[in-house]
Amino acid sequence: MDIPVTVLVFVLFFVGAFVTVLLDSDWARRAFVAIFLLLVLFPGFSGRGAWPFITWHLFGEVRSTSLNYYQVRLVDVAGKEIQFDARAVPPALQTPIRRYGSMMAEKPDDPDMKELGCFLLDRAVEYQRARWEGELSFWRYVKFPRHQYGFEWNEVIDTTVAKINAIRVYEMRLELTPDARNVVHLLPEERVEYRREECGASDS
Amino acid sequence: MNLLINYTRHPRRHSPLNLLVGRILLGVYGIWKLLSYEWSGLRRWPRSLFANHGHGLFVPWDWVIDFIWWEVGVACLLLMAFIFGIHLRWVGVLGAVVIAHLSGVHYVITNAGATFLPLVYFLVFWGVFSHEDEISWDTFRRSGGESLDALNERLQIRRSREYSHSVFRWGLLVVAVTYFFTGFTKVQHGLLDWATAENLALILRHEEFLHLNELPYSAQLIIDNYWLSLLSAWGSVVLELGLLVAILIGLPLAPFVLGLLGLHTIIAIAMHIFFFDQYLLFLLFVPWDEWSKHKVPNKTFDVIYDETCKFCARSLLPFRFLGDEGIVTFYSQSTLPTTHEAVRSDLGRAIFASDEEGEEYWGYDVFERLLWVIWVLRPIAWIMRRRLVRAIGERVYQWVAVNRQRLSTCSVQ
């Protein structure tokens, strides 16, 4: 998706909407609806979207028994590992955390990726502190439902994991049996690690 | 009675009520969703992520993110104006621009930002087709230029009218198209390969390893049952593609919509992915007008107002459709039936209403009754009856009644 195309579509679409409102005529409204429908249809058929029009291609791929993916984990001062909870870094959900894991694994020495890793680590430390001190907001109960619940830290994790000290990205190789009922193997391979002291944290 | 209206094929209704209900639903939903998202979290994320993303130009300067809560505030104010129908054509399009921008920025961090898009589409349609939406502040505002005689006639002469619902006509089509493409991509990848029990089981297992860490019991149940997996796979594709087909050829929508909402529920339970928005969006296509009529059978009201007061006639104009439907009969001094002769001398003080059982209402309470008689709006009438709201409302009514000469030009005969 090209940047100029995104911006062009965004600007022209809304300028078109304002012009239609200004013209206040039936032919303008008909033309606008026709263009609107084309803009909704094009991404779906072509596979290329431009905000605010996307492809709406969800869960389309045919899955294989083998799956390679990235998992972001945290390590406490005792060396114990725990999976990252996306609630530490709102508004992210579990899916983007995996995407950020793959970005860090691909370019571990890139300063931007180190900044990203240190950010995730720093927020996880802060989230762990907030959980320990019971600071989670009451408002989470009246909020619009999350779009992805997924893995969540619980009281057991709060009591068994010590202070977080590092973030690691693992490349995971999963192999399932063809009926998907059993795991043939699940092989984690460490790809990146950033420690708090590398990130310039003062209290570690 | 149909559970859902196929507006794409039948965009005309005898009542404008569904547009009002839609505006309230969509506005409240939008404000709730906007206020729930953790926009301030965006400020902490490394700015390089925004700069290197396809949506980078949505954040041309850092302060765009620093002030993002202000933008959310503007969006909420626009949605408030949208609910009341204040300058709908501008508010609709402007609200859509702001929310499209906000969600475009949000999308950089997580693709959940895309769940705002149906709201954006509906707001744009509302701006473009605002002239069809009658129960609004705009109707009151626009009537300022009309003569008093014309207003009295509009209120008191009963006509059977039809209202276009182009917002829902095209909105429903666009919602169906989004579902269609979720099915279309499965066909693109090879329908016979995708819609198998094995593939569905793999999707559930992959989700377990990617995001959940443990397999939900419901997912295990589907994986263990070959026919349930196969049915889930084919059911998904048929429902996703089928809604658009049903709309275009005129099949009943309810089986497809209820099926899709069931699908969302199963996905929420088995994969922890929750598109709650969809449950609310489909409420837009419920025949609220028919249900309201059905729930308030044979209830009729006489509403008597001062025909020399333009402001009074204008403020009743958004309720005119109740007159057309025969639920309310509007009278004024010159058309007053003898049964209501006693109230003539008090009409200069307040508007009056009485129901078929002889119960009488004055001023503020008349408006509360007008909302109460529209079954779907009874929650608003209920709020209006609360002691504090009523006390404030009555004061406001008194003030308006005393100052109506200043608020609108009046001709006193």
Side-chain angles (χ1 to χ4, degrees):
Chain A
M1 191 160 59
D2 298 322
I3 296 171
V5 172
T6 307
V7 172
L8 212 63
V9 169
F10 187 92
V11 171
L12 289 181
F13 171 67
F14 285 113
V15 167
F18 276 116
V19 170
T20 309
V21 164
L22 266 178
L23 289 174
D24 193 20
S25 76
D26 280 340
W27 70 263
R29 281 187 275 267
R30 271 198 286 272
F32 179 78
V33 168
I35 293 168
F36 195 136
L37 292 179
L38 285 177
L39 286 168
V40 171
L41 289 171
F42 181 79
F45 283 123
S46 69
R48 288 167 59 86
W51 203 259
F53 301 98
I54 61 168
T55 62
W56 301 104
H57 288 178
L58 300 174
F59 294 96
E61 300 83 22
V62 177
R63 305 298 175 103
S64 141
T65 51
S66 43
L67 176 71
N68 273 27
Y69 62 99
Y70 293 89
Q71 190 171 66
V72 179
R73 294 185 196 171
L74 298 156
V75 193
D76 75 4
V77 285
K80 182 171 180 168
E81 286 186 343
I82 173 191
Q83 206 181 315
F84 199 93
D85 183 348
R87 287 161 188 80
V89 279
L93 301 170
Q94 215 63 23
T95 303
I97 298 299
R98 194 161 49 80
R99 174 159 52 96
Y100 294 130
S102 87
M103 283 163 60
M104 288 186 280
E106 275 167 31
K107 295 178 184 172
D109 300 321
D110 185 321
D112 284 346
M113 290 303 109
K114 187 179 172 190
E115 188 192 7
L116 174 60
C118 290
F119 160 75
L120 294 174
L121 174 58
D122 181 58
R123 296 317 302 169
V125 170
E126 169 59 24
Y127 182 62
Q128 186 186 43
R129 188 199 60 76
R131 284 188 68 92
W132 281 348
E133 294 177 13
E135 280 178 11
L136 298 184
S137 163
F138 157 80
W139 292 109
R140 68 187 191 279
Y141 296 114
V142 292
K143 280 185 174 177
F144 195 82
R146 289 174 73 84
H147 297 293
Q148 188 177 32
Y149 285 88
F151 169 74
E152 183 175 11
W153 291 357
N154 54 25
E155 286 77 13
V156 177
I157 289 171
D158 287 342
T159 49
T160 55
V161 176
K163 193 168 163 61
I164 291 164
N165 190 46
I167 187 166
R168 279 183 199 153
V169 179
Y170 283 85
E171 185 175 354
M172 312 287 285
R173 294 171 204 279
L174 170 69
E175 186 66 38
L176 293 164
T177 54
D179 64 1
R181 291 189 194 183
N182 298 302
V183 176
V184 178
H185 63 242
L186 177 62
L187 306 171
E189 185 188 333
E190 188 183 325
R191 297 288 300 270
V192 193
E193 182 186 73
Y194 303 111
R195 303 173 66 80
R196 289 204 80 203
E197 52 266 30
E198 290 172 64
C199 295
S202 54
D203 62 338
S204 57
Chain B
M1 195 189 300
N2 280 329
L3 203 60
L4 293 150
I5 304 165
N6 186 346
Y7 281 106
T8 305
R9 282 175 69 93
H10 309 289
R12 301 176 85 79
R13 309 285 294 170
H14 286 289
S15 158
L17 181 64
N18 293 348
L19 283 167
L20 171 68
V21 177
R23 238 169 47 224
I24 297 173
L25 269 173
L26 213 57
V28 171
Y29 151 69
I31 292 171
W32 181 27
K33 191 170 163 77
L34 279 166
L35 293 181
S36 298
Y37 274 50
E38 313 218 28
W39 303 99
S40 42
L42 289 173
R43 298 169 59 175
R44 301 198 186 96
W45 282 82
R47 299 296 158 100
S48 59
L49 286 175
F50 295 93
N52 297 328
H53 192 277
H55 284 194
L57 279 176
F58 285 143
V59 191
W61 306 282
D62 275 356
W63 57 261
V64 172
I65 292 182
D66 292 332
F67 284 93
I68 201 148
W69 263 112
W70 288 90
E71 195 179 344
V72 173
V74 169
C76 289
L77 286 178
L78 288 167
L79 286 175
M80 288 293 285
F82 173 77
I83 290 172
F84 290 102
I86 302 169
H87 293 281
L88 255 184
R89 55 194 202 143
W90 301 118
V91 158
V93 179
L94 206 59
V97 176
V98 175
I99 294 173
H101 176 260
L102 279 168
S103 54
V105 175
H106 190 278
Y107 191 76
V108 173
I109 300 301
T110 163
N111 42 12
T115 57
F116 276 102
L117 292 182
L119 173 64
V120 169
Y121 302 157
F122 273 103
L123 286 174
V124 172
F125 281 137
W126 232 292
V128 169
F129 294 104
S130 61
H131 61 290
E132 295 174 356
D133 192 353
E134 195 165 286
I135 315 175
S136 64
W137 173 264
D138 283 352
T139 297
F140 170 80
R141 192 172 50 83
R142 284 198 212 104
S143 63
E146 286 187 52
S147 75
L148 193 50
D149 288 341
L151 285 169
N152 285 326
E153 194 185 305
R154 275 179 76 183
L155 272 176
Q156 297 190 28
I157 294 180
R158 187 173 292 173
R159 294 186 190 86
S160 175
R161 290 186 297 153
E162 282 200 326
Y163 301 83
S164 281
H165 286 58
S166 302
V167 170
F168 293 151
R169 178 186 201 177
W170 303 115
L172 176 63
L173 190 65
V174 168
V175 169
V177 165
T178 61
Y179 276 106
F180 178 82
F181 282 124
T182 61
F184 175 76
T185 182
K186 287 153 195 158
V187 176
Q188 254 184 334
H189 284 93
L191 181 60
L192 293 180
D193 294 326
W194 193 91
T196 61
E198 291 79 10
N199 187 50
L200 194 96
L202 284 170
I203 290 175
L204 293 172
R205 286 305 309 257
H206 285 185
E207 200 59 26
E208 170 199 353
F209 284 96
L210 292 173
H211 306 127
L212 304 179
N213 265 23
E214 58 187 343
L215 193 63
Y217 175 72
S218 51
Q220 184 72 60
L221 201 72
I222 297 171
I223 292 169
D224 285 345
N225 188 320
Y226 175 84
W227 292 106
L228 203 56
S229 301
L230 194 66
L231 181 73
S232 305
W234 277 97
S236 307
V237 181
V238 168
L239 289 168
E240 287 168 350
L241 296 175
L243 178 63
L244 182 62
V245 177
I247 285 169
L248 294 177
I249 69 172
L251 296 176
L253 300 191
F256 290 92
V257 170
L258 293 177
L260 285 168
L261 294 182
L263 179 70
H264 283 304
T265 308
I266 294 170
I267 291 173
I269 296 169
M271 297 167 79
H272 291 198
I273 295 168
F274 195 24
F275 294 110
F276 183 64
D277 308 65
Q278 304 308 110
Y279 299 81
L280 303 180
L281 283 178
F282 281 118
L283 287 179
L284 296 175
F285 310 112
V286 165
W288 300 107
D289 49 358
E290 280 174 41
W291 287 9
S292 288
K293 230 186 267 178
H294 181 71
K295 292 275 183 184
V296 193
N298 306 323
K299 194 85 183 164
T300 55
F301 279 86
D302 289 342
V303 171
I304 304 163
Y305 67 97
D306 179 5
E307 67 192 6
T308 64
C309 164
K310 192 172 177 182
F311 188 87
C312 310
R314 286 175 66 197
S315 52
L316 286 173
L317 215 50
F319 296 98
R320 178 170 68 135
F321 77 102
L322 290 175
D324 294 334
E325 288 180 1
I327 295 167
V328 172
T329 311
F330 293 102
Y331 296 109
S332 59
Q333 286 93 333
S334 53
T335 53
L336 193 65
T338 47
T339 44
H340 292 314
E341 196 55 47
V343 302
R344 183 185 290 273
S345 58
D346 288 322
L347 286 179
R349 184 174 60 82
I351 188 172
F352 170 83
S354 80
D355 63 19
E356 57 198 358
E357 283 144 17
E359 195 78 36
E360 298 188 344
Y361 307 91
W362 286 95
Y364 175 83
D365 290 339
V366 173
F367 287 94
E368 185 269 325
R369 281 291 103 175
L370 284 173
L371 290 170
W372 183 85
V373 85
I374 308 168
W375 173 75
V376 68
L377 299 184
R378 279 192 184 176
I380 302 175
W382 184 86
I383 293 169
M384 284 179 77
R385 277 204 300 276
R386 295 312 92 201
R387 196 179 297 169
L388 181 68
V389 181
R390 193 160 188 265
I392 297 169
E394 282 181 337
R395 290 267 169 89
V396 171
Y397 186 90
Q398 292 292 331
W399 185 87
V400 171
V402 169
N403 292 284
R404 61 205 170 118
Q405 301 259 7
R406 276 198 289 144
L407 293 167
S408 185
T409 44
C410 289
S411 67
V412 181
Q413 289 169 345

